[in-house]
Amino acid sequence: MNGGGEGLAAPATSGAAVSPLEWKFSQVFGERTAGEEVQEVDIISAIEFDRTGDHLATGDRGGRVVLFERTDIKDHGGHRRDLERMDYSISRHPEFRYKTEFQSHEPEFDYLKSLEIEEKINKIRWCQTANGALFVLSTNDKTIKYWKVQEKKIKKVCEMNVDASKSMENGAVASSMSTSSKPYLANGCKDRPVSSPSNDTSFPALHLPVVTSQETSLVARCRRVYAHAHDYHINSISNNSDGETFISADDLRINLWNLEISNQSFNIVDVKPANMEDLTEVITSAEFHPTHCNTLAYSSSKGSIRLIDLRQSALCDTHSKLFEEQEAPGSRSFFTEIIASISDIKFAKNGRHILSRDYMTLKLWDINMDSGPVATLQVHEHLRPKLCDLYENDSIFDKFECCLSGDGHRVATGSYSNLFRVFGCSEGSTEATTLEASKNPMRRQVQTPARPSRSLGNLPRVLRRGADNSGADTNGNSFDFTTKLLHLAWHPSENSIACAASNSLYMYYA
């Protein structure tokens, strides 16, 4: 990758400040009633919009994949091109409906390692559509599956010409059928004239059954199974922009697959040391560049992001760029390394920026500037005094996801008490909104002093803003660490967010 950034789009954070958005509730799927106990298998574990934003997929801990389709623009011909011509700032009210679901993974047991393999869906990724069919990659801890979902016409035998009395003489019709000489027409189809049996003993004229396509049904079929390539739990899958390959990542390795070849993959990153006692960091997330098929990034438990170029060597054991933030002197504590671990990374749509989420913050990185993040956004800084409690109840190991808007002006991530936060990342923006995942989302604007406009090159390495030191949620209650919003996705071309709170899928728009 060239350090000068030839061919890259303008930075996401450049330009005039964008006014804060007013978020509104749109829809909810699977909302539980008061007092209803949620089954573990129903908790949503993955969310993903497709490239058009017309379809949404969720995966749950029970191994199911549920697909939703957009309905508010369904009836307009060529609607995708119309949407691309529209101004991004125009508020729309996207509406989705349940499309279909299928069982993607089942619980397994590895007898060689005496290891139970959960059916939980870790990640979902959409592939390119073809001939009206939808293609989805889904993975649990060990096995990736490639699914094709398409409409199939159900064919039924509509009518048959059978003379019951003559057939009974030949023993072909059960005694429960009518013994009258009236022709028997199957499946309740409309009567049509049939030849009457003659008075002699000869068999009446035969007519072939008529087969018709009466209705359509969505059928999910597993096209490929990519298995036995990971010794550790798969944490990421990511499609390449070439439409032919994808990567899968576990704690120590990243493998490159061809969609059409399931019995072999190429190991392109291997961080496993010769002696496992020397292991100091693991891979936590990996993603392909949105447009450059030779470039991908992966994050580590030490808080660093490595950019690698597949053109350099077959085994990318050396990175082309390293992004990490230097520790402030004297700031190290027992929890420093734990909260520095990056749980998720996402490329901006233009490929110029990478968004990362660690336990306490969101960081925005410019891939042409490896001295440090261009912005650091505090998600729940008020929890810092409670890190000891969070460590005791294992909450400090929760893995929150992050997402960017299609225009690159905003980023979002989740927190506790089913809250999620939306930050403006345009230059001069002070937008920091907290919303609750519910039908009546409580919202809070966290305003910070405006900073003078400046170019990206002059920005300080760390911009701390949006900090909330109240230690309480929007209702003034203490944070509930048992309810957490880990998974969310931003519509690729509109200001619309889908997020998962337990077994419920909430949709918001602005």
Side-chain angles (χ1 to χ4, degrees), residues 193-455:
V194 294
S195 59
S196 299
S198 60
N199 293 327
D200 57 20
T201 57
S202 63
F203 201 82
L206 285 176
H207 292 268
L208 291 175
V210 178
V211 178
T212 60
S213 299
Q214 292 186 327
E215 56 186 76
T216 58
S217 175
L218 278 168
V219 177
R221 187 164 65 91
C222 185
R223 292 283 306 276
R224 303 273 188 280
V225 177
Y226 314 90
H228 312 300
H230 287 278
D231 292 330
Y232 304 93
H233 291 177
I234 298 171
N235 55 50
S236 303
I237 51 176
S238 178
N239 302 91
N240 197 347
S241 58
D242 63 10
E244 297 179 0
T245 56
F246 71 94
I247 54 169
S248 58
D250 64 22
D251 290 343
L252 298 179
R253 291 188 174 99
I254 300 177
N255 292 333
L256 178 69
W257 301 83
N258 188 298
L259 281 169
E260 299 301 319
I261 303 172
S262 60
N263 58 1
Q264 75 172 7
S265 63
F266 298 94
N267 179 223
I268 56 174
V269 174
D270 188 349
V271 299
K272 185 177 181 179
N275 184 353
M276 285 296 283
E277 291 182 359
D278 298 331
L279 183 68
T280 58
E281 63 180 331
V282 295
I283 298 168
T284 57
S285 183
E287 183 165 283
F288 261 118
H289 190 282
T291 55
H292 296 174
C293 62
N294 58 283
T295 303
L296 62 93
Y298 70 90
S299 60
S300 82
S301 57
K302 276 194 167 181
S304 61
I305 301 172
R306 290 173 173 84
L307 206 65
I308 62 175
D309 191 333
L310 297 176
R311 298 170 298 186
Q312 288 183 343
S313 64
L315 182 62
C316 302
D317 48 3
T318 58
H319 50 266
S320 57
K321 286 197 177 180
L322 174 67
F323 305 96
E324 60 183 357
E325 188 174 14
Q326 299 302 319
E327 276 183 35
S331 64
R332 189 168 183 82
S333 71
F334 173 78
F335 303 109
T336 299
E337 206 163 291
I338 300 175
I339 63 175
S341 176
I342 294 175
S343 56
D344 190 27
I345 59 171
K346 291 284 194 309
F347 270 100
K349 195 174 182 179
N350 61 16
R352 175 68 182 268
H353 291 81
I354 299 175
L355 180 68
S356 67
R357 170 72 204 264
D358 57 42
Y359 187 70
M360 300 295 289
T361 66
L362 280 171
K363 291 186 174 75
L364 190 68
W365 307 79
D366 186 328
I367 64 172
N368 294 327
M369 193 175 87
D370 53 9
S371 58
V374 295
T376 297
L377 310 168
Q378 304 292 352
V379 179
H380 38 220
E381 182 65 17
H382 55 272
L383 296 182
R384 195 171 290 276
K386 299 180 172 63
L387 289 179
C388 189
D389 296 334
L390 293 164
Y391 179 79
E392 290 292 328
N393 62 25
D394 284 343
S395 294
I396 201 169
F397 302 106
D398 288 333
K399 299 184 185 307
F400 293 93
E401 294 178 1
C402 59
C403 58
L404 300 95
S405 61
D407 60 4
H409 290 317
R410 294 174 180 84
V411 297
T413 190
S415 183
Y416 293 102
S417 296
N418 288 342
L419 299 177
F420 67 97
R421 305 205 67 187
V422 181
F423 297 93
C425 57
S426 300
E427 191 173 333
S429 172
T430 58
E431 181 177 359
T433 307
T434 303
L435 294 127
E436 180 186 7
S438 71
K439 285 186 176 180
N440 300 300
M442 302 292 290
R443 59 179 53 82
R444 172 175 57 208
Q445 296 285 347
V446 183
Q447 299 295 340
T448 55
R451 61 179 186 271
S453 297
R454 59 182 86 181
S455 66

Side-chain angles (χ1 to χ4, degrees), residues 29-40:
F29 296 94
E31 187 179 42
R32 54 180 168 169
T33 57
E36 179 186 355
E37 187 174 346
V38 176
Q39 299 296 316
E40 179 82 7

Side-chain angles (χ1 to χ4, degrees), residues 175-210:
S175 59
S176 59
M177 286 188 168
S178 170
T179 57
S180 68
S181 60
K182 188 176 180 181
Y184 173 73
L185 300 177
N187 291 333
C189 296
K190 291 180 102 178
D191 291 346
R192 72 171 190 178
V194 294
S195 59
S196 299
S198 60
N199 293 327
D200 57 20
T201 57
S202 63
F203 201 82
L206 285 176
H207 292 268
L208 291 175
V210 178

